[in-house]
Amino acid sequence: MNIYIKGGRVIDPANNVDKVTDLFIREDKIISLDKAPNGFQAELTIDANNCVVCPGLVDMRARLREPGLENKGTIESETLAAAHGGVTTLCTPPDTDPIIDTPAVVDLIRHRVAEVGKCKVITLGALTVGLQGSQLSEIDHLKKAGCVGVTNAYCYISSAGVMRRAMEYVASLDMTLYIHAEDKELSENGCVHEGEISTRLGLAGIPECAETIAVSRDLMLIEKTGVRAHFCQLSTEQAVKMVARAQHDGLPVTADVTAHQLHLTEMDIGYFNSLCHVSPPLRNHRDLDGLRDAVGRGVVSAICSDHQPHDVDAKLAPFAQTESGISSIETLLPLALRLVDEKGLSLSDIIAKLTCGPANILGINAGTLGVSSPADVCVFDPESYWNVTEETFYSHGKNSPFIGWELKGQVTHTILDGEVVFQLKN
Amino acid sequence: MPLLRGKTIANLFFEASTRTRTTFELAAKRLSADVLNISISTSAAVKGESLLDMLRNLEAMQCDMFVVRHSESGAAHFIATHVAPHVSVINAGDGCHAHPTQAMLDMFTIRRHKKDFSDLRVAIVGDIKHSRVARSQIHALTTLGVAEVRVIAPKTLIPRQVQSLGVHVFHKMEEGLRDVDVVIMLRLQNERMQGAYLPGYHEYFQLFGLTSEKLSLAKPDAIVMHPGPINRGVEIDSAVADGKQSVILEQVANGIAVRMAIMSMALGRTPDAAASTKRERLL
């Protein structure tokens, strides 16, 4: 579709653009900034006065629950939720059922997305067969099927020997390894941060060292093997410091944090609020400040949602028996934007963490408004306040601790390959 | 005292318990309530009935009160937030979180011996990390404004940042017991000998078992308490458990009285209230 987005503040960190201007889309491509090309006829004009026009968001980690857990969410419902949140590309981890350890599952997801998807979906393949942590998957087959990287998701590879071989193999295929660093021996059966709250409530705690020891082991192995690696959802101040040092030393490592880790601490669990049951756990204020700092200094180059929709029953049990995770793709943008007010970061810096930052890590052509790039665009009103309620969620999962919060920044239009996939109703 | 005649109380025990269940049952019967004992491990839970479904069913059977014992922290709170408002829920122990009625009967026992709480130094010895009893006792003692609460245990059995609960931490009995008025010993679970919490019973008894010799460091009139059941020769020497400073059996007896009081108050049927409704009827 030919779309004329008129008079918005265009922020495109990939090309250092931040100015009030017009944007022109022809078919599925961005064709011009500032001036209408010759003979351009708009089929749709979007008045973006007082709004920000930025690349469609790239969410590094969001679970769609299909295949396997359709009672929690489907590709149709969750990609629609993504569009509502301004996300045009999301990356889904391999812990579906069946697990993404064969090209067949990658194809299944691709076909389903082509049928009903409201955003682009890319996949990470399973590093080991069945995520069991012993036998490597056929990683090159997964790569050829379209996986942009491999990960063992939440299943920690406890054997350093297996991890070393895995890294060597992944490095020789020139792929990126995505690591969820949590030493399960140290986290045992923990469900919250080991600290004041775990002590008060008598819940089993997960100490920081479950993360820092895993990160430090893997950094040593990264140095040895030369693999390109990405640490997912770091939760501790110490871990981001270690990554910063490794980056300073020239290791090929990147990291992301989840938006909720930048705003919630263990204290938000209060008296057994299971909506705050997440993995890695919400930590303390020092960690929260450390993560915010790392975002500001660029150690962390992506903020992701780690969207995990659940059915109602998943959160209806005594705390430790509830399933972890937050339905978060629709609050990703406003939560990230809060750092503009609370941490003094520029709007452009924050948008970079949601667009070109993750796109660069994933190695995909997205997160930019450059001429002739795909017409994936997010238009949002940065000053619009809205109340988060269950009804505002398009996702099947209403499991959000932010319900009841007032957030600032609301998506008005999401454009995917030149088609409007979401438009705010007035 | 037939304060609860016509009321139905369900004892929901998702975890084994002899003492607590028996005292709750006795307390309810002495108040003339109808008592339903449900041990869940043998009930529908194994057939996959969800906790909430089971509660809805019991609610439909017109129960007025649930007494809940569960192995998960927060279970009683979870149940209380989901049952109908007219149903009272009493926490009879949830995971490592709380055991409020035990703490209340302990406070009652202390008060009978010590009168004033404000001068007291109380030491709690043993597996603080996994103890719901210790957490509730600390909560009660600090609320009543005692001079000092001490916890004594090796680091493996002390939860992180326990100081935030308002206690002082000791790793040696000889230091922690000095001049205390009350010594509370905790039961050591067998599981703690696995998973590298402790090396063995023998060493534990030597370091943290309460003997007459160690007790002599406390004030001469110090009392010795234990929530039971006792592991003789593991956390406490028989000579101390049965000695004249021990109030352990008194705790059990007080348990019934305190639970009677809690149940009747929760259901709004205290002797005073009963008397006044009677008066109103007469008028």
Side-chain angles (χ1 to χ4, degrees):
Chain A
M1 189 187 265
N2 291 356
I3 304 175
Y4 168 31
I5 304 175
K6 188 178 148 196
R9 178 176 168 190
V10 175
I11 301 181
D12 179 17
N15 298 299
N16 283 320
V17 173
D18 183 354
K19 61 180 173 184
V20 175
T21 186
D22 301 333
L23 187 77
F24 300 90
I25 292 168
R26 177 176 287 151
E27 305 286 331
D28 59 351
K29 293 274 188 288
I30 287 162
I31 50 160
S32 175
L33 204 62
D34 303 331
K35 271 194 237 152
N38 287 338
F40 181 83
Q41 289 273 326
E43 295 164 74
L44 174 71
T45 302
I46 295 171
D47 181 2
N49 190 26
N50 294 327
C51 285
V52 170
V53 179
C54 71
L57 310 188
V58 178
D59 190 355
M60 286 209 60
R61 193 167 46 263
R63 285 168 173 81
L64 305 170
R65 302 303 193 191
E66 185 179 347
L69 291 165
E70 286 84 352
N71 59 324
K72 294 180 185 293
T74 60
I75 286 174
E76 188 172 9
S77 70
E78 302 316 301
T79 56
L80 182 62
H84 179 220
V87 174
T88 52
T89 304
L90 64 81
C91 181
T92 190
D95 47 5
T96 44
D97 180 18
I99 286 163
I100 308 179
D101 56 5
T102 61
V105 188
V106 183
D107 290 341
L108 179 94
I109 292 172
R110 184 185 304 113
H111 288 143
R112 197 72 193 125
V113 171
E115 274 170 28
V116 296
K118 296 288 185 196
C119 79
K120 293 172 187 168
V121 175
I122 54 176
T123 48
L124 293 182
L127 179 64
T128 60
V129 175
L131 299 173
Q132 303 267 330
S134 43
Q135 169 76 44
L136 291 186
S137 312
E138 296 188 314
I139 297 171
D140 190 53
H141 287 180
L142 290 169
K143 184 184 180 185
K144 292 202 170 95
C147 290
V148 295
V150 282
T151 180
N152 226 48
Y154 279 125
C155 307
Y156 180 67
I157 296 187
S158 53
S159 158
V162 170
M163 192 56 156
R164 177 193 168 188
R165 302 285 177 232
M167 283 187 181
E168 285 172 345
Y169 194 78
V170 172
S172 54
L173 295 179
D174 193 28
M175 286 180 88
T176 306
L177 178 62
Y178 294 78
I179 300 169
H180 174 85
E182 182 182 315
D183 187 327
K184 291 284 154 71
E185 295 253 312
L186 284 162
S187 58
E188 290 182 269
N189 299 316
C191 56
V192 295
H193 171 64
E194 186 182 275
E196 208 175 318
I197 286 294
S198 70
T199 291
R200 197 172 288 270
L201 300 183
L203 293 168
I206 301 173
E208 301 92 339
C209 62
E211 178 168 296
T212 53
I213 286 180
V215 168
S216 101
R217 180 197 78 173
D218 290 345
L219 281 174
M220 296 286 172
L221 293 172
I222 290 163
E223 191 177 6
K224 175 141 196 73
T225 59
V227 72
R228 196 166 59 239
H230 176 81
F231 287 102
C232 301
Q233 58 200 35
L234 292 180
S235 69
T236 62
E237 182 199 26
Q238 257 198 308
V240 288
K241 277 189 175 164
M242 287 193 282
V243 169
R245 205 173 309 133
Q247 288 173 341
H248 181 259
D249 293 344
L251 291 192
V253 289
T254 49
D256 72 64
V257 295
T258 56
H260 52 257
Q261 291 280 8
L262 299 171
H263 297 287
L264 302 176
T265 66
E266 55 169 346
M267 292 300 163
D268 289 288
I269 293 165
Y271 207 59
F272 299 106
N273 180 2
S274 61
L275 294 174
C276 289
H277 183 188
V278 286
S279 171
L282 301 173
R283 302 223 180 248
N284 60 30
H285 257 283
R286 179 185 291 191
D287 292 308
L288 180 133
D289 288 341
L291 296 183
R292 285 180 165 203
D293 250 20
V295 170
R297 285 185 294 119
V299 174
V300 165
S301 43
I303 300 173
C304 68
S305 73
D306 196 31
H307 179 64
Q308 297 189 36
H310 279 299
D311 53 319
V312 179
D313 288 345
K315 292 286 185 185
L316 276 184
F319 192 93
Q321 290 180 348
T322 56
E323 293 179 53
S324 68
I326 296 177
S327 175
S328 52
I329 205 161
E330 291 162 89
T331 50
L332 172 64
L333 177 66
L335 287 178
L337 292 175
R338 271 170 88 98
L339 294 187
V340 175
D341 291 336
E342 294 181 4
K343 181 79 187 150
L345 297 181
S346 75
L347 204 48
S348 180
D349 280 347
I350 288 299
I351 289 171
K353 311 285 181 200
L354 299 169
T355 55
C356 55
N360 287 342
I361 296 166
L362 294 165
I364 55 172
N365 181 22
T368 163
L369 295 177
V371 169
S372 80
S373 46
D376 298 341
V377 182
C378 169
V379 183
F380 68 91
D381 180 346
E383 297 299 325
S384 163
Y385 287 89
W386 58 289
N387 290 310
V388 187
T389 63
E390 286 193 10
E391 291 72 38
T392 54
F393 277 37
Y394 284 58
S395 167
H396 269 185
K398 316 294 180 194
N399 49 304
S400 168
F402 298 102
I403 284 174
W405 286 43
E406 188 181 50
L407 295 178
K408 193 170 101 170
Q410 193 167 27
V411 175
T412 60
H413 297 80
T414 305
I415 298 166
L416 178 72
D417 283 332
E419 300 293 330
V420 177
V421 285
F422 169 77
Q423 184 172 358
L424 184 67
K425 296 181 198 89
N426 281 321
Chain B
M1 209 180 281
L3 289 171
L4 298 186
R5 178 157 293 151
K7 297 285 182 183
T8 307
I9 296 176
N11 274 333
L12 303 178
F13 278 66
F14 296 84
E15 191 185 72
S17 155
T18 319
R19 196 165 310 221
T20 305
R21 208 205 64 207
T22 320
T23 51
F24 265 110
E25 191 178 344
L26 261 176
K29 284 187 170 156
R30 288 194 181 156
L31 293 165
S32 304
D34 297 319
V35 184
L36 205 62
N37 277 320
I38 305 174
S39 298
I40 317 291
S41 52
T42 56
S43 171
V46 282
K47 289 186 228 147
E49 185 180 3
S50 94
L51 181 54
L52 278 182
D53 287 339
M54 164 180 272
L55 294 172
R56 298 263 177 274
N57 276 296
L58 287 166
E59 244 174 63
M61 295 173 202
Q62 312 293 324
C63 285
D64 300 287
M65 175 181 278
F66 295 150
V67 176
V68 181
R69 159 73 63 98
H70 200 289
S71 59
E72 288 290 345
S73 298
H77 174 259
F78 171 74
I79 289 169
T81 51
H82 286 93
V83 293
H86 69 272
V87 179
S88 304
V89 175
I90 292 187
N91 185 1
D94 62 325
C96 302
H97 171 234
H99 195 349
T101 61
Q102 175 73 41
M104 282 192 234
L105 75 88
D106 292 337
M107 296 310 114
F108 181 71
T109 309
I110 295 174
R111 168 155 279 167
R112 297 195 93 184
H113 287 271
K114 298 290 175 192
K115 313 289 183 268
D116 186 9
F117 277 90
S118 59
D119 300 329
L120 295 186
R121 287 181 202 286
V122 182
I124 307 174
V125 187
D127 187 359
I128 312 292
K129 188 182 176 96
H130 301 95
S131 175
R132 55 189 169 215
V133 174
R135 282 179 178 78
S136 283
Q137 286 168 338
I138 291 168
H139 184 54
L141 289 165
T142 50
T143 306
L144 290 167
V146 297
E148 186 186 9
V149 183
R150 301 174 177 178
V151 294
I152 311 175
K155 275 195 174 182
T156 46
L157 300 180
I158 297 274
R160 185 106 169 253
Q161 292 177 11
V162 71
Q163 293 87 345
S164 66
L165 302 181
V167 301
H168 290 135
V169 179
F170 292 84
H171 301 304
K172 286 202 178 92
M173 288 285 263
E174 291 72 16
E175 290 166 11
L177 289 182
R178 200 167 294 280
D179 299 326
V180 297
D181 302 276
V182 179
V183 184
I184 301 174
M185 302 303 297
L186 299 173
R187 177 182 166 77
L188 189 74
Q189 308 283 341
N190 293 332
E191 303 94 272
R192 301 303 160 241
M193 294 303 157
Q194 284 113 46
Y197 285 105
L198 293 171
Y201 293 112
H202 188 66
E203 182 160 311
Y204 184 78
F205 184 68
Q206 277 201 340
L207 292 176
F208 298 99
L210 188 64
T211 57
S212 308
E213 198 188 353
K214 286 182 198 148
L215 183 59
S216 67
L217 295 166
K219 287 213 182 126
D221 62 344
I223 55 170
V224 174
M225 304 173 72
H226 192 300
I230 305 174
N231 290 316
R232 289 168 188 269
V234 176
E235 67 254 0
I236 191 164
D237 192 32
S238 283
V240 177
D242 306 329
K244 64 178 193 307
Q245 284 171 272
S246 163
V247 297
I248 296 173
L249 287 176
E250 203 182 317
Q251 287 174 270
V252 181
N254 290 342
I256 300 168
V258 167
R259 284 169 179 134
M260 281 171 74
I262 292 168
M263 286 177 161
S264 52
M265 287 168 85
L267 288 175
R269 299 280 188 93
T270 57
D272 286 350
S276 69
T277 43
K278 207 171 177 185
R279 257 200 314 278
E280 276 160 28
R281 252 201 324 272
L282 286 173
L283 287 169

